Amino acid sequence: MRPALLSETCRDQAALWLWPGHALYVGPSFELDVHSGAVSCLAVGVDGEFTVRLEHGPAHVVRTALVAARVRHRIVADGGRMAFCYLDPASARERACRRLMSGGAELAWDHEHERELTSLAALLERDVPLPAVRRWLELAGPDGLSGRRDPRVQQATRRLSEKSGQRLPATELAAEAGLSVSAFLRLFRAETGTTFRRYRMWTRMVRVATLLDTWPDLSTAAVESGFASPSHFSSAFHAMFGLRPSSLFSSQLTIKAAEQAGQAGQPGQDQETRPHGVRRASRSMPFR
């Protein structure tokens, strides 16, 4: 049931927070058909229960559910607001989240902190301070990473951020770190919680979100972020999240992206973009 004091104007608003390795969306449900993505998805019913069904499986009526990467599914929220937390399947945060839930490898449910996650998600509106968003993420699944990152990985993540429009190979960054490629990749994963290749893709996605504060169209932002074309970005976005950019960017959306200078995604390193009316951007956005 919808909260009685929640206005329809507030219900139509949506916010997206994006860091390398995870993203959090709070707003109207996408009401997608059967789909899957390359990342896991923690779904939280902000206003009430929702139905999740795997492509070949029974329906589950739940308040929280974790759908594994590559698993085709459908979520029906009947117009209620949802929180969708997209987690890199190689990350410590995804594994921690899974340990806090019941169920199997493809679909888990009943998060241990379900009540807190739903009540806090209802407060995650566009102007909420970023520490509150981080508290929600830690409740969903603590990443267990230390606050201070190895300086060699700090340098690598800084370079990936600064050169997100270029294709920096692991060999080049490993040489700068004074490590073999295999040793660099092991250290990078241990320090960031995800693989080098996936982290590089996340940085490009974050860069797109950040550039939307400057260029009011996704086409320009996508190309400037290192994607070969708008269609390349659309395909990569769909492969990662299981939905087209137009599904996410079809309403008034506030985007808040991590500023990756220094320790990307670490506390105190976040930059909030201005509320972005994406309907304005969609005039030059040929994404489907």
Side-chain angles (χ1 to χ4, degrees):
M1 181 178 295
R2 298 183 182 183
L5 298 180
L6 186 65
S7 70
E8 291 301 315
T9 299
C10 291
R11 293 188 56 80
D12 291 338
Q13 294 179 357
L16 173 68
W17 295 268
L18 188 63
W19 298 266
H22 50 274
L24 174 62
Y25 165 89
V26 179
S29 178
F30 300 130
E31 301 296 353
L32 301 176
D33 204 344
V34 176
H35 66 286
S36 67
V39 294
S40 300
C41 177
L42 171 64
V44 176
V46 178
D47 294 336
E49 293 180 327
F50 59 93
T51 301
V52 57
R53 182 195 296 272
L54 302 189
E55 186 174 30
H56 304 292
H60 297 266
V61 178
V62 294
R63 196 70 186 268
T64 53
L66 178 65
V67 183
R70 309 294 185 187
V71 173
R72 290 179 58 77
H73 66 284
R74 187 184 183 194
I75 290 175
V76 179
D78 293 327
R81 289 178 305 157
M82 295 290 296
F84 293 116
C85 185
Y86 298 96
L87 301 168
D88 195 297
S91 68
R93 193 181 298 283
E94 197 269 2
R95 294 192 297 272
C97 179
R98 186 174 297 280
R99 287 194 296 268
L100 294 170
M101 304 184 75
S102 306
E106 293 188 334
L107 176 65
W109 55 83
D110 294 342
H111 195 286
E112 184 176 314
H113 305 303
E114 181 174 280
R115 181 174 297 180
E116 294 91 338
L117 286 172
T118 55
S119 60
L120 289 176
L123 303 177
L124 294 183
E125 298 179 355
R126 57 174 48 172
D127 295 324
V128 70
L130 284 167
V133 183
R134 290 195 175 280
R135 286 195 297 272
W136 193 95
L137 289 171
E138 286 298 300
L139 194 64
D143 61 15
L145 299 177
S146 62
R148 184 168 180 80
R149 185 170 289 168
D150 186 292
R152 293 168 294 185
V153 176
Q154 285 189 46
Q155 173 63 16
T157 57
R158 184 181 300 112
R159 290 264 284 136
L160 286 170
S161 174
E162 293 171 348
K163 304 293 183 181
S164 59
Q166 304 175 17
R167 187 174 181 83
L168 283 176
T171 51
E172 180 177 333
L173 295 177
E176 292 178 359
L179 298 169
S180 67
V181 175
S182 60
F184 170 75
L185 293 178
R186 286 195 300 271
L187 177 64
F188 191 94
R189 180 165 182 166
E191 290 285 312
T192 64
T194 189
T195 64
F196 173 81
R197 182 177 180 180
R198 183 81 71 186
Y199 189 98
R200 185 172 58 189
M201 177 59 73
W202 278 102
T203 61
R204 290 180 176 178
M205 295 292 181
V206 172
R207 182 64 174 163
V208 170
T210 303
L211 289 180
L212 284 175
D213 192 40
T214 304
W215 289 297
D217 72 277
L218 282 169
S219 299
T220 304
V223 173
E224 290 291 332
S225 299
F227 294 97
S229 64
S231 61
H232 178 210
F233 168 71
S234 182
S235 297
F237 190 96
H238 183 264
M240 178 174 283
F241 299 110
L243 64 154
R244 297 292 180 186
S246 56
S247 298
L248 176 62
F249 300 136
S250 60
S251 61
Q252 295 296 320
L253 178 71
T254 298
I255 302 173
K256 302 186 179 184
E259 178 58 51
Q260 297 173 336
Q263 299 184 50
Q266 295 298 314
Q269 298 295 333
D270 298 304
Q271 172 183 328
E272 298 189 22
T273 67
R274 293 191 299 268
H276 182 70
V278 186
R279 287 196 182 94
R280 176 183 56 154
S282 62
R283 290 196 302 268
S284 56
M285 184 182 71
F287 301 142
R288 298 290 184 268

